[in-house]
Amino acid sequence: MATLTPPPLLPFARTATTSSTKKKKNHQKHRALGNFGHFGQVVRKDMDFLKRGFNNGVAWANDAFRIPQITKKIDEVVWLRNLEDPLASNFSTPSWPEPWYPGLSGVDLLMSDLKALEVYASYFYHSSKIWSKPLPEAYDPQDVAHYFNARPHVVALRMLEVFSSFASAAVSIRASGLRKFLPINAEGDVDDKTSEYNFGLVLKETMLNLGPTFIKVGQSLSTRPDIIGVEMSKALSELHDQIPPFPRTVAMKILEEELGAPLESFFSYISEEPIAAASFGQVYFARTIEGVNVAVKVQRPNLRHVVVRDIYILRLGLGLLQKIAKRKSDPRLYADELGKGFVGELDYTLEAANALKFREVHSSFSFMHVPKIFLHLSRKRVLTMEWMVGESPTDLFSVSTGKVSEYSDRQRVDAKRRLLDMVSKGVEATLVQLLETGLLHADPHPGNLRYTSSGQIGFLDFGLLCQMEKRHQFAMLASIVHIVNGDWASLVRALIDMDVVRPGTNIRLVTMELEHALGEVEFKDGIPDVKFSRVLGKIWSVAFKYHFRMPAYYTLVLRSLASFEGLALAADRNFKTFEAAYPYVVRKLLTENSSATRKILHSVLLNQKKEFQWKRLSVFLRVGATRKALQLAASNSVTSSKHSPNKATGTFDIAYLILKLLPSKDGAAIRRLLMTADGASLIKAMVSKEGKTIRQQLCKVIADALCQWMIKFFGQGVTDTQYPRVMLANGPSNKESTRSARSSAPSYDDYNSILRDRRLRVIFSKVVKSASSSKVLMLRFFWSSLVIIITASALACHRVVLSLSEAYLGPIFDAPERKRYAVRA
């Protein structure tokens, strides 16, 4: 009988055997020390069992002993709400009387004592009335301070609760740090990223336990990975989805109280469980008696007092920090801004008005969708809006990155395409709000965004909007252009226009600091090859050092674009926010004829001698005519050819863009720029070696014009089909008709109007006249023009011959042969 011998071990097999032997030894060593892994699992299961039993017992006790009603009464006693009078007016507490009157005696002293008794009585009477003044409806720091000064026990109890929660979190973090020295984890020690993520989870649980205000702060921190780190940001981002809801009975009671009638008279159906739970409220799916699907947002009970109390404690802490750090600026102003925003979000009538305003202002931008508001079903604590069907960025990200395994490769590719399309429209929407309308959505985290089936980006939660001043809009526009061009001195001037730089700041030092901080940024094709959040993070560090006054909209724009950039980079590593945003900036500068945009355009493209800066102009036009960052093609995805950038026709597109803009109403800015610029510099650039691209563009345009003229003259009914024309990928436009009009190439009539345009002839004569003093330059110009005309004529004749042969000789050949002939030609 044959015996089987095992084959000799290969090198990698020996390695595996050695590693397995080491694992066994380590395992035996762990067993010698004591393996607590199984023990830990048993303890966790027991704790889960006890937790479920405790929760069931609490639910039974709540129903049997009416604990919620008792808790509400105790809460009213603690907050002294029974003493509050909504009609109480403002009053000033009288001062104490003088303790003695050494110059008086007899009757005068007796009368003074009686007056003192009257003052004492008045003082104690007014002191007893300080509890009658309720919490102000609108946030005012002084009124809030008066309210809580009369209730120091409420502040002390909350501070004790906050301190104990963070102390418990610190103990948990220390325990997790010590746990790596114990053999509890059989898989080995955790790395730094896991440790940072676990720290974020502990912080998330702490904020969940501390209530709505801290949840809101945690949600804001989750959108700033540049400050707290990527792993902590990932852990805190769960606050958008894991907020525990409050009981449905409480929500329905609030709904009936606010609407003032039984729910059956308004809704035919309301979901049993909330669709989503937010920090300040939760949303139910409902159907009106008219059959319209709506989303009903109900505010959490007793929320205003809790939020304002936490803001007051934060204000006290920042005031203490100011005294310790001896800072000139008052950090309490940040707490006041936070308080105004949070209290404003608690009034759903204000949110309804904000939504209507946001919808009206952005109604002309068809790629943006804002749900309709039902005012007759909205109150101070209830908001009813149109039900929006769409996908959240988080869901698209999970599917596209393969985190959800039940989807096929085709579905993942499609989810990736939709995610990148949503990001592109999100960047456009942010720029529209920033540079066009000036009305910014103040909370653009992924939970408040949707991608609809029609390809629109939908917005939710309008509790807080930010309105920018017009001059700040232009300054922000200029700052984006200066960052792309690496012009840090001009960037500082733009920051001054935004009221960011304080008066008396050493501008030279700030400029040098920015050059040092941003000088290391690499530029690829004239565009910063770096994350948007990193560039603005460096600006933020310089701003913190020099005590800049960072406006609210700056933080909102940073948060919005950084959020979109994070989503896009997860799906496409080649995404660049600057390259995605710059085409809209270019179109804004080229088409808006205002003094502010003209000033920016001139500062970017002209030097002090009014000569064109051709490097900047080439970047300006090249990036403005391509949108590689927003293309949906990826290395592992299947897309059609229309989604891929056409490098061969990119320069041709620029020439057509300029030709379309020059005679139009939107071309006033370009015409003014050409009239202002030194004409000799234009001709020098055209005849130079660097002007080869310009001459090629001009040659193709002239060839196209000659071809259309000859076809119109020689061949009736013949169309020019041999030369492809793909126009500029437009940025967001306020009207679809304008967008479609600009995306078509010039026709024969367009060329005729260009040649007959008196304004363009004046510009051309001015340019030639300014260069006529240099005979050598004019000679080179005429020679280049002759070469361009001859080359363009040859190209036009070639295209005309192809078009005529296809029209008249086509019936002789079969259709497939005709196509092959045209391609070979």
Side-chain angles (χ1 to χ4, degrees):
M1 185 175 178
T3 58
L4 296 174
T5 58
L9 290 173
L10 295 174
F12 66 84
R14 292 194 191 99
T15 305
T17 307
T18 306
S19 61
S20 63
T21 306
K22 287 182 179 178
K23 284 184 179 179
K24 287 181 180 178
K25 289 181 179 179
N26 290 335
H27 184 63
Q28 291 174 358
K29 186 178 179 181
H30 281 202
R31 289 184 63 182
L33 294 172
N35 187 2
F36 296 97
H38 178 67
F39 175 73
Q41 292 178 0
V42 172
V43 170
R44 278 195 295 271
K45 288 181 179 179
D46 290 342
M47 290 299 295
D48 290 339
F49 175 77
L50 292 174
K51 196 174 186 181
R52 286 195 300 270
F54 178 76
N55 290 336
N56 293 334
V58 168
W60 175 82
N62 286 339
D63 293 336
F65 301 107
R66 302 178 123 191
I67 291 178
Q69 291 83 347
I70 297 173
T71 305
K72 184 178 180 182
K73 292 294 182 184
I74 295 174
D75 192 55
E76 289 178 353
V77 171
V78 171
W79 283 82
L80 306 178
R81 290 181 190 167
N82 294 326
L83 302 177
E84 293 180 3
D85 181 11
L87 302 177
S89 58
N90 294 327
F91 55 85
S92 58
T93 305
S95 59
W96 283 89
E98 294 182 24
W100 62 81
Y101 304 91
L104 299 178
S105 61
V107 178
D108 293 334
L109 182 59
L110 178 61
M111 295 301 296
S112 298
D113 288 339
L114 291 175
K115 289 181 180 179
L117 287 174
E118 182 182 358
V119 172
Y120 281 125
S122 176
Y123 178 83
F124 285 115
Y125 173 78
H126 283 87
S127 297
S128 66
K129 287 292 184 182
I130 62 173
W131 295 305
S132 64
K133 189 176 181 182
L135 188 68
E137 293 291 331
Y139 180 84
D140 182 84
Q142 293 183 352
D143 291 343
V144 170
H146 285 316
Y147 182 83
F148 285 105
N149 285 339
R151 295 162 177 81
H153 58 287
V154 173
V155 178
L157 289 173
R158 180 59 172 174
M159 291 178 72
L160 181 63
E161 183 184 2
V162 172
F163 176 78
S164 61
S165 295
F166 279 105
S168 175
V171 171
S172 300
I173 293 167
R174 292 295 297 172
S176 65
L178 293 173
R179 197 174 292 129
K180 64 182 180 181
F181 298 105
L182 298 174
I184 296 175
N185 189 2
E187 297 180 359
D189 296 340
V190 295
D191 57 5
D192 293 337
K193 287 187 177 180
T194 307
S195 178
E196 187 179 344
Y197 180 76
N198 291 334
F199 176 75
L201 288 178
V202 173
L203 191 61
K204 181 202 75 173
E205 293 297 330
T206 304
M207 291 184 168
L208 280 173
N209 294 331
L210 287 174
T213 312
F214 285 87
I215 291 173
K216 201 78 174 175
V217 173
Q219 288 175 344
S220 299
L221 284 174
S222 70
T223 61
R224 295 300 305 272
D226 54 315
I227 295 177
I228 63 174
V230 177
E231 297 300 321
M232 278 189 63
S233 174
K234 191 186 299 181
L236 289 179
S237 64
E238 297 177 7
L239 286 170
H240 296 296
D241 305 317
Q242 296 186 2
I243 301 173
F246 59 94
R248 186 181 189 275
T249 54
V250 178
M252 296 302 106
K253 186 177 180 182
I254 292 174
L255 197 55
E256 283 191 351
E257 288 176 358
E258 291 294 316
L259 296 178
L263 298 181
E264 293 77 15
S265 58
F266 300 103
F267 303 101
S268 61
Y269 170 78
I270 299 179
S271 60
E272 288 295 325
E273 297 295 329
I275 303 301
S279 52
F280 285 178
Q282 59 193 33
V283 181
Y284 291 89
F285 172 76
R287 190 174 294 111
T288 63
I289 55 176
E290 293 85 8
V292 180
N293 293 337
V294 294
V296 181
K297 184 160 73 167
V298 185
Q299 192 177 113
R300 293 180 180 270
N302 305 321
L303 194 58
R304 190 163 59 91
H305 287 72
V306 172
V307 170
V308 176
R309 176 196 59 190
D310 291 343
I311 295 297
Y312 175 71
I313 292 173
L314 176 62
R315 198 174 191 275
L316 291 178
L318 290 176
L320 181 63
L321 180 65
Q322 181 189 12
K323 292 180 180 179
I324 295 173
K326 296 180 180 180
R327 290 183 63 88
K328 295 180 181 179
S329 58
D330 190 358
R332 294 177 298 178
L333 296 176
Y334 292 102
D336 293 339
E337 287 296 324
L338 203 63
K340 289 176 183 176
F342 283 179
V343 172
E345 287 189 62
L346 296 178
D347 188 354
Y348 286 173
T349 58
L350 178 62
E351 182 175 350
N354 286 343
L356 291 172
K357 183 179 180 182
F358 194 84
R359 179 185 173 92
E360 180 184 358
V361 169
H362 298 96
S363 59
S364 56
F365 301 95
S366 60
F367 65 95
M368 299 173 64
H369 179 69
V370 181
K372 179 184 176 183
I373 303 297
F374 295 86
L375 291 176
H376 68 287
L377 296 176
S378 300
R379 298 292 186 274
K380 194 166 187 177
R381 293 191 294 168
V382 174
L383 179 66
T384 306
M385 65 175 64
E386 169 194 358
W387 182 260
M388 184 187 295
V389 180
E391 299 169 290
S392 71
T394 309
D395 294 338
L396 288 173
F397 171 74
S398 299
V399 176
S400 63
T401 53
K403 289 186 176 181
V404 184
S405 58
E406 60 261 24
Y407 291 95
S408 64
D409 292 341
R410 186 179 182 85
Q411 288 174 318
R412 282 198 290 269
V413 169
D414 192 51
K416 182 177 180 179
R417 179 191 61 79
R418 296 199 303 275
L419 177 62
L420 289 177
D421 185 43
M422 181 182 185
V423 168
S424 71
K425 289 172 180 173
V427 171
E428 289 184 356
T430 303
L431 293 170
V432 163
Q433 296 170 59
L434 174 66
L435 305 176
E436 194 73 32
T437 63
L439 189 64
L440 294 172
H441 189 286
D443 198 13
H445 64 77
N448 288 336
L449 300 172
R450 293 291 183 272
Y451 184 73
T452 66
S453 58
S454 59
Q456 295 175 303
I457 180 170
F459 290 86
L460 300 171
D461 193 356
F462 303 92
L464 186 61
L465 299 179
C466 179
Q467 181 68 60
M468 286 180 64
E469 295 182 25
K470 201 70 178 175
R471 62 190 184 94
H472 288 173
Q473 287 181 252
F474 289 123
M476 198 72 179
L477 176 67
S479 66
I480 295 174
V481 176
H482 297 321
I483 289 173
V484 170
N485 288 322
D487 189 352
W488 312 125
S490 299
L491 175 61
V492 173
R493 287 196 294 271
L495 293 176
I496 293 173
D497 293 338
M498 284 190 284
D499 296 331
V500 170
V501 181
R502 292 179 178 274
T505 305
N506 192 325
I507 304 301
R508 187 179 181 84
L509 279 178
V510 173
T511 305
M512 292 174 62
E513 193 79 31
L514 280 173
E515 288 178 355
H516 176 72
L518 296 170
E520 62 189 51
V521 175
E522 295 182 2
F523 286 80
K524 186 177 180 181
D525 294 332
I527 299 296
D529 190 20
V530 71
K531 291 182 180 178
F532 182 83
S533 55
R534 186 184 167 205
V535 172
L536 290 186
K538 288 181 177 292
I539 296 175
W540 187 277
S541 63
V542 174
F544 185 78
K545 181 177 180 179
Y546 288 93
H547 308 295
F548 286 1
R549 297 174 295 194
M550 304 309 293
Y553 64 82
Y554 184 90
T555 307
L556 296 178
V557 172
L558 168 63
R559 197 167 73 181
S560 179
L561 290 179
S563 175
F564 283 122
E565 182 182 63
L567 289 169
L569 286 172
D572 182 9
R573 294 182 180 179
N574 297 321
F575 180 85
K576 294 181 181 64
T577 305
F578 284 108
E579 192 172 348
Y582 206 53
Y584 182 78
V585 174
V586 171
R587 181 164 292 281
K588 177 80 172 173
L589 290 176
L590 289 179
T591 58
E592 183 167 321
N593 185 27
S594 64
S595 58
T597 52
R598 286 200 302 270
K599 182 180 177 182
I600 298 170
L601 193 63
H602 289 191
S603 67
V604 171
L605 300 181
L606 302 179
N607 59 18
Q608 294 181 351
K609 296 180 180 180
K610 295 185 179 181
E611 296 176 343
F612 271 100
Q613 302 183 74
W614 290 103
K615 287 186 179 180
R616 289 189 180 181
L617 179 62
S618 62
V619 171
F620 195 78
L621 293 177
R622 183 179 65 252
V623 179
T626 58
R627 304 201 64 176
K628 293 182 289 184
L630 298 183
Q631 296 298 331
L632 305 180
S635 58
N636 59 343
S637 63
V638 180
T639 55
S640 61
S641 60
K642 68 179 180 180
H643 292 307
S644 60
N646 193 340
K647 295 181 181 178
T649 59
T651 55
F652 188 44
D653 297 342
I654 298 172
Y656 274 120
L657 169 66
I658 300 299
L659 278 179
K660 291 289 287 183
L661 282 176
L662 270 175
S664 68
K665 188 181 295 184
D666 291 335
I670 303 180
R671 293 194 297 270
R672 282 177 176 268
L673 181 68
L674 293 174
M675 287 296 292
T676 306
D678 179 25
S681 67
L682 283 171
I683 294 180
K684 283 179 184 177
M686 195 191 79
V687 301
S688 65
K689 291 182 179 179
E690 293 79 11
K692 182 179 179 181
T693 303
I694 302 173
R695 294 194 295 272
Q696 288 176 348
Q697 294 176 32
L698 190 59
C699 180
K700 290 179 181 179
V701 169
I702 293 174
D704 187 51
L706 289 174
C707 179
Q708 291 194 35
W709 177 78
M710 285 190 285
I711 287 175
K712 186 176 180 65
F713 185 78
F714 292 110
Q716 296 295 329
V718 178
T719 56
D720 177 22
T721 58
Q722 300 303 320
Y723 203 92
R725 283 177 280 192
V726 183
M727 278 306 296
L728 172 71
N730 292 338
S733 177
N734 57 346
K735 291 184 180 179
E736 291 298 322
S737 60
T738 307
R739 177 181 297 182
S740 60
R742 288 178 183 167
S743 61
S744 59
S747 62
Y748 175 80
D749 295 331
D750 293 330
Y751 285 120
N752 259 343
S753 63
I754 290 170
L755 291 174
R756 294 174 181 175
D757 196 303
R758 186 172 175 272
R759 297 167 300 181
L760 300 184
R761 284 184 292 186
V762 169
I763 293 172
F764 180 75
S765 62
K766 185 254 180 188
V767 169
V768 174
K769 185 177 180 181
S770 62
S772 59
S773 57
S774 175
K775 297 188 182 299
V776 176
L777 180 62
M778 290 301 296
L779 183 63
R780 293 178 63 191
F781 171 66
F782 286 130
W783 173 253
S784 298
S785 301
L786 180 63
V787 172
I788 289 172
I789 291 172
I790 293 173
T791 308
S793 301
L795 285 173
C797 291
H798 172 71
R799 286 169 57 187
V800 169
V801 169
L802 288 180
S803 299
L804 291 174
S805 63
E806 183 174 355
Y808 293 111
L809 302 179
I812 301 174
F813 304 99
D814 294 331
E817 294 293 330
R818 185 172 71 240
K819 289 181 181 178
R820 286 200 294 271
Y821 170 75
V823 171
R824 285 196 299 271

